[in-house]
Amino acid sequence: AASKDQLEPVIRELYRSHVFHIEDFVEQKEEGYEGFRIGMPLAGADSVSSDVLRVRSMSSALGIDPGAVEAGAKTSSQTLRSRIDSEFSTLEKEIGGLNTDRNKRETTVREYEQRISELKPFASAPLDMDLYRGYDRLSVFAGHIPGDVTFTVPHEKFFTDTVPGNFLVVAVPSENRDDVEQTLLEARFQAVPIPEETGSAKERVAWYTSEVTRLNAEIESISARLIEKKDAHTAFLVACDELLTAEVERSEAPLRFATTEETFVAEGWVLSEQVAELSDSLRKATGGKIFINEVEIDYDRDAIPVKYDNPAFARPTELLMDVYSRPRYRE
């Protein structure tokens, strides 16, 4: 327990020592804490959280999996923070720009491939796309059909079996539309949308195909540049993620403390052999302006955290144990 002006030094020392298992404070449920409230994050928490999201966005764009990156040489937090201040925004702009360019091209490729798919059946018909629409007194049907069909009303028809599923186009006077629709229904006709295109369908397919080829080449070039960025900056971005995540956790630590307007109380667990060392370091960090009390364990009430202390050959099984349940303290 200490006054709030000691909040940052205490948190800094707790996280530096890395031995204090914080017990979350829950309002209205803790005896002896009447009038206490959950604390507020430290100043700058929002900014650090935003930086974490920016780092992870860049890592996602580059396809970086932090868990799959092997640990390299350690870097001091001061050096890394200096690099973040000097390099972060420029790198984010470069990666973001490349990723945006690639996404735009990929979206256009998908759109053009859809246009090609829609136009291909019409490429076999001897009509420009303008001629399929715009009539007041004619109705035009286009689609796939198992076989050719005969109409008993005035009409113009094109049928081909060179297209998968066959392809039929028929134009009829609008007053005969219902009769033609019934005939097509009985023939298991499947209508397709008529693309909003002009000119020859075959020429439009060729143009879209050429554009898809060009865009895919540009996508490959951009992807290669992103791979270069990944190779050059993976270690930096993973280190940034690690540092900033730790900073977020530290800055949000007060959300786990009990506070009043002037003071705070942090409860937690420490290995017995490290109590004295941690207590001394906290007193030193605060100039002695802190109250530390070691509380007796209530084995019936307290949910005591468990730290494994297994021989090396048994440590691989710890992961499997955690999937089920970590052993309780007295097991």
Side-chain angles (χ1 to χ4, degrees):
S3 59
K4 279 190 174 176
D5 61 342
Q6 301 300 324
L7 189 58
E8 290 196 42
V10 167
I11 291 174
R12 191 183 310 115
E13 186 58 33
L14 289 178
Y15 277 86
R16 186 200 65 77
S17 62
H18 202 58
V19 297
F20 188 73
H21 182 101
I22 299 174
E23 187 83 1
D24 290 344
F25 169 68
V26 181
E27 289 184 18
Q28 312 299 330
K29 292 186 178 181
E30 301 284 354
E31 293 183 9
Y33 282 93
E34 293 79 8
F36 282 78
R37 295 289 182 265
I38 292 173
M40 299 294 291
L42 299 177
D46 290 343
S47 175
V48 178
S49 297
S50 175
D51 286 345
V52 170
L53 294 177
R54 292 164 66 192
V55 167
R56 292 179 180 173
S57 176
M58 283 189 280
S59 295
S60 176
L62 295 177
I64 296 173
D65 177 9
V69 177
E70 294 185 5
K74 290 186 177 181
T75 303
S76 70
S77 58
Q78 293 86 349
T79 300
L80 190 55
R81 173 51 70 180
S82 176
R83 288 192 64 190
I84 290 174
D85 293 340
S86 62
E87 302 176 26
F88 196 76
S89 295
T90 300
L91 182 60
E92 180 182 36
K93 185 176 180 180
E94 291 174 352
I95 294 173
L98 288 171
N99 196 49
T100 298
D101 290 344
R102 182 173 65 178
N103 288 342
K104 286 181 178 178
R105 284 161 175 78
E106 287 175 342
T107 299
T108 303
V109 165
R110 288 192 294 270
E111 178 186 339
Y112 285 1
E113 287 176 341
Q114 179 64 30
R115 297 277 184 90
I116 291 170
S117 176
E118 294 171 353
L119 280 165
K120 272 188 174 179
F122 294 88
S124 59
L127 295 172
D128 284 348
M129 297 305 300
D130 316 66
L131 299 178
Y132 287 89
R133 60 184 178 275
Y135 302 109
D136 293 328
R137 299 170 56 188
L138 289 177
S139 295
V140 179
F141 300 88
H144 299 287
I145 194 167
D148 199 359
V149 64
T150 301
F151 300 100
T152 59
V153 298
H155 66 279
E156 289 288 345
K157 182 181 71 171
F158 170 80
F159 171 82
T160 179
D161 57 6
T162 60
V163 174
N166 304 332
F167 191 66
L168 172 73
V169 177
V170 60
V172 299
S174 295
E175 60 265 24
N176 300 124
R177 180 183 180 91
D178 292 342
D179 293 337
V180 171
E181 282 184 337
Q182 183 60 38
T183 301
L184 292 174
L185 178 65
E186 293 172 355
R188 293 181 294 162
F189 175 78
Q190 294 181 334
V192 298
I194 298 174
E196 293 288 335
E197 297 280 349
T198 60
S200 164
K202 190 173 183 178
E203 291 176 358
R204 297 304 296 159
V205 168
W207 186 86
Y208 282 125
T209 301
S210 174
E211 284 296 290
V212 166
T213 301
R214 179 183 64 81
L215 289 168
N216 280 330
E218 292 180 2
I219 290 170
E220 288 184 10
S221 176
I222 294 171
S223 296
R225 292 170 65 189
L226 284 169
I227 290 174
E228 291 175 1
K229 296 290 182 185
K230 177 180 179 180
D231 293 341
H233 300 290
T234 290
F236 173 59
L237 290 174
V238 171
C240 287
D241 194 329
E242 184 177 335
L243 174 67
L244 294 171
T245 299
E247 289 185 0
V248 167
E249 189 176 342
R250 283 196 295 269
S251 64
E252 294 181 348
L255 294 171
R256 309 175 71 186
F257 295 171
T259 66
T260 66
E261 291 204 7
E262 301 294 339
T263 65
F264 73 93
V265 178
E267 287 191 349
W269 300 86
V270 185
L271 292 173
S272 299
E273 60 268 22
Q274 294 174 321
V275 171
E277 181 182 352
L278 179 61
S279 298
D280 289 343
S281 65
L282 287 170
R283 290 189 182 96
K284 184 177 179 180
T286 60
K289 299 175 183 178
I290 189 170
F291 170 79
I292 299 172
N293 185 36
E294 190 175 349
V295 182
E296 289 293 328
I297 295 174
D298 184 336
Y299 292 103
D300 295 324
R301 185 198 67 180
D302 294 332
I304 308 171
V306 172
K307 178 181 172 69
Y308 285 129
D309 186 19
N310 292 318
F313 71 85
R315 287 173 192 158
T317 66
E318 294 173 0
L319 178 62
L320 299 177
M321 276 301 302
D322 285 342
V323 170
Y324 175 68
S325 177
R326 186 168 288 217
R328 288 174 293 182
Y329 184 72
R330 305 187 83 178
E331 287 185 312

